[in-house]
Amino acid sequence: MSRYEFPENFLWGAATSAYQVEGSPLADGAGPSNWHRFCHQPGRILNGDTGDLACDHYRRFREDIALMKELGLSAYRFSIAWSRVFPEGKGRPNPRGLAHYQSLVDTLLAHGIQPMATLYHWDLPAALEDAGGWANRDSAGWFADYAHAVIRALGDEIDFWATLNEPWVVMDAGYMSGVHPPGHVSPKEAPWVSHNLLRAHALGVQAFRADGQGRIGLVVNLEPKYAATGSREDRAAAERAHAYMNRQYLDPVLRGTYPEELAEIFGPHWPRFESEDLRLIQEPIDYLGVNYYTRAVVKHDPLGGPLKVSAIPQRGAEHTEMGWEVYPQGLKDILLWVKARYGDIPLYITENGAAFADPPPADGRIDDPRRIAYYRSHLRALHEAIAEGVDVRGYFAWSLLDNFEWAYGYAKRFGLVQVDPASQQRRPKASAGFYAEVAQSNGAVLDREY
Ligand code: FCB
């Protein structure tokens, strides 16, 4: 067994997002968000769950920050709910919404925890969805106004920002499969949604350059795609899947072009984008946030939707409760790929973690050995990537708390800390103890097969 040390000043944090943990969605003058509305439509969310209460973090954030302090975390990644700041999406800001985040940030700083704020983690003001949402070209300007207002109000205290969380999910789940709001299945809208999200991101970076200090970046979810066989067809299928999920966002931001495969995938719906837009989207960023959970093994399949791809289940491999294969090597592979393709941009792992069905507490303890093993193996893969020269500067566990997992409601538990839905009692799991030791010692004993 050997100890793995991480680089000096490495950040160890945990992540959450507004709609998943806050509850009180309409408090203090907030407007309804697309997620609030979606959850209240019958049949949308497993078990009819909603974010009405969630982890009650809107009211209990002080307790949660004290918990982070006890664990020895150096950073907290959270998101700001646009509909609290602009109840109607635009127009006059709501001072009480901004005041909430001001208190959150003050409390973090008082505990020596660095705030890392994401401006958009999927909850769009419902009024803006009614105005066409991300499919409307004006959405980028709405976001820019919102970014300016937030950065002006909080920019003195927060010096670590992200514009968007996972634009791919906003597009794919919102406009291709329809399992997230607005629930459309529309390959015609989807490319415009991605494009407007990227324009919004770039304008958000510009807003930050005008009024902010520190760093701003984009958070993407990356999932390596491996061809099931060495055949030409399967390799092309893996390239298409990779272009759709990973390169669709990174290529325009970091290289100024969309992958050619997208024209093949979207066919007649693939738009001709203005070169001026592509210039804007290349606005330089300070770092890239990478969310990593799993990989996919794919083959060519003429019946596999617009991508003509289907995934091959990896029988015998370990899977989490999400049905996601546990594959730590994929984290190392994708980080090495980012470095090879885009050069030495500073990276943060902005999410990584696993859902497992936890046993009920026994003597006040919740033993979650599989979650610990997941963290351990992924941290080891991360350490290997760093040893091979990838510039990773921090890591955020997903998630601090068991929370509202979107279309799955409360059925999937990612927390280091269990939250009892009825009493709201917080109970750190064994994995919280493991992670606290990693954070406090800037390393761990990580030797273990994976
Ligand atoms: C990511 C999301 C995050 C959470 C995890 C499990 O795609 O960014 O909100 O739901 O997955």
Side-chain angles (χ1 to χ4, degrees):
M1 298 286 254
S2 47
R3 252 194 77 79
Y4 287 71
E5 293 290 337
F6 282 78
E8 221 181 307
N9 297 323
F10 199 79
L11 278 188
W12 293 103
T16 64
S17 88
Y19 191 74
Q20 294 180 276
V21 298
E22 286 180 347
S24 307
L26 303 177
D28 298 330
S33 71
N34 59 343
W35 269 97
H36 176 68
R37 194 163 61 180
F38 196 70
C39 290
H40 285 273
Q41 292 167 357
R44 294 293 199 183
I45 309 294
L46 192 63
N47 303 319
D49 289 344
T50 74
D52 287 359
L53 180 58
C55 308
D56 201 19
H57 184 67
Y58 190 78
R59 294 188 295 191
R60 293 174 194 253
F61 68 88
R62 289 181 186 83
E63 181 189 339
D64 293 335
I65 292 171
L67 203 56
M68 289 183 235
K69 175 77 186 169
E70 258 169 58
L71 297 178
L73 304 188
S74 44
Y76 176 44
R77 176 172 178 245
F78 61 95
S79 78
I80 293 172
W82 187 339
S83 52
R84 295 194 191 281
V85 178
F86 287 100
E88 298 288 320
K90 52 187 175 173
R92 275 159 55 87
N94 167 31
R96 286 189 292 165
L98 283 165
H100 169 74
Y101 294 105
Q102 192 74 61
S103 313
L104 176 81
V105 169
D106 286 346
T107 311
L108 285 166
L109 293 174
H111 285 76
I113 299 172
Q114 182 172 13
M116 197 280 202
T118 301
L119 288 164
Y120 184 73
H121 199 126
W122 308 354
D123 46 346
L124 186 73
L128 296 183
E129 191 173 87
D130 293 340
W134 294 109
N136 183 339
R137 192 171 164 84
D138 293 345
S139 55
W142 304 331
F143 179 78
D145 292 344
Y146 158 65
H148 271 291
V150 172
I151 293 168
R152 259 185 228 127
L154 302 171
D156 285 346
E157 291 184 304
I158 305 179
D159 59 13
F160 195 6
W161 296 88
T163 52
L164 312 176
N165 179 71
E166 301 189 355
W168 180 78
V169 173
V170 178
M171 177 279 294
D172 185 71
Y175 292 84
M176 293 291 277
S177 63
V179 297
H180 286 186
H184 295 184
V185 177
S186 170
K188 188 163 187 284
E189 285 175 303
W192 284 107
V193 167
S194 290
H195 189 68
N196 290 332
L197 281 161
L198 289 175
R199 290 175 51 243
H201 152 77
L203 294 176
V205 174
Q206 291 181 353
F208 169 81
R209 300 281 176 234
D211 294 312
Q213 55 183 15
R215 290 158 290 177
I216 193 158
L218 172 70
V219 172
V220 291
N221 51 317
L222 297 182
E223 187 176 298
K225 309 290 182 181
Y226 302 89
T229 73
S231 76
R232 197 182 49 78
E233 278 195 320
D234 285 350
R235 280 188 287 124
E239 253 332 298
R240 282 196 301 282
H242 184 43
Y244 177 65
M245 189 159 173
N246 305 319
R247 289 170 50 216
Q248 176 161 195
Y249 303 92
L250 295 186
D251 275 12
V253 173
L254 299 171
R255 293 165 65 119
T257 54
Y258 280 106
E260 280 171 13
E261 289 87 348
L262 295 180
E264 206 183 316
I265 293 168
F266 287 103
H269 301 306
W270 183 245
R272 203 180 265 281
F273 294 115
E274 304 279 333
S275 50
E276 214 177 294
D277 286 357
L278 280 151
R279 267 198 299 281
L280 168 71
I281 289 169
Q282 271 189 90
E283 182 71 38
I285 54 177
D286 303 315
Y287 74 91
L288 186 70
V290 174
N291 295 352
Y292 176 81
Y293 290 96
T294 190
R295 67 150 173 185
V297 178
V298 301
K299 65 165 189 193
H300 177 74
D301 177 358
L303 302 177
L307 273 81
K308 299 194 170 50
V309 162
S310 63
I312 312 283
Q314 298 302 294
R315 293 189 218 293
E318 189 188 8
H319 290 76
T320 70
E321 278 289 295
M322 299 296 283
W324 297 345
E325 185 192 353
V326 177
Y327 193 73
Q329 175 71 36
L331 173 60
K332 179 177 172 186
D333 289 351
I334 204 74
L335 292 174
L336 289 170
W337 170 78
V338 168
K339 179 179 163 73
R341 185 169 179 83
Y342 304 107
D344 274 323
I345 177 162
L347 304 176
Y348 289 85
I349 306 303
T350 33
E351 288 180 26
N352 177 233
F356 288 113
D358 299 315
D363 296 331
R365 271 183 64 84
I366 298 160
D367 270 320
D368 56 344
R370 295 180 70 193
R371 187 173 290 102
I372 295 178
Y374 183 97
Y375 279 118
R376 189 177 261 136
S377 60
H378 286 74
L379 288 174
R380 182 172 156 177
L382 173 62
H383 193 276
E384 287 176 8
I386 294 171
E388 291 187 25
V390 183
D391 182 7
V392 184
R393 302 187 179 184
Y395 176 94
F396 293 81
W398 184 272
S399 175
L400 178 70
L401 304 170
D402 283 346
N403 61 42
F404 177 79
E405 180 47 38
W406 309 113
Y408 297 95
Y410 297 97
K412 309 290 178 194
R413 289 158 188 194
F414 279 91
L416 295 168
V417 175
Q418 187 195 59
V419 178
D420 183 298
S423 68
Q424 286 293 324
Q425 190 186 343
R426 273 75 168 138
R427 281 197 194 89
K429 304 176 190 176
S431 56
F434 165 79
Y435 191 61
E437 215 174 292
V438 172
Q440 288 168 30
S441 66
N442 196 37
V445 174
L446 298 173
D447 269 355
R448 200 185 166 112
E449 283 300 296
Y450 68 76

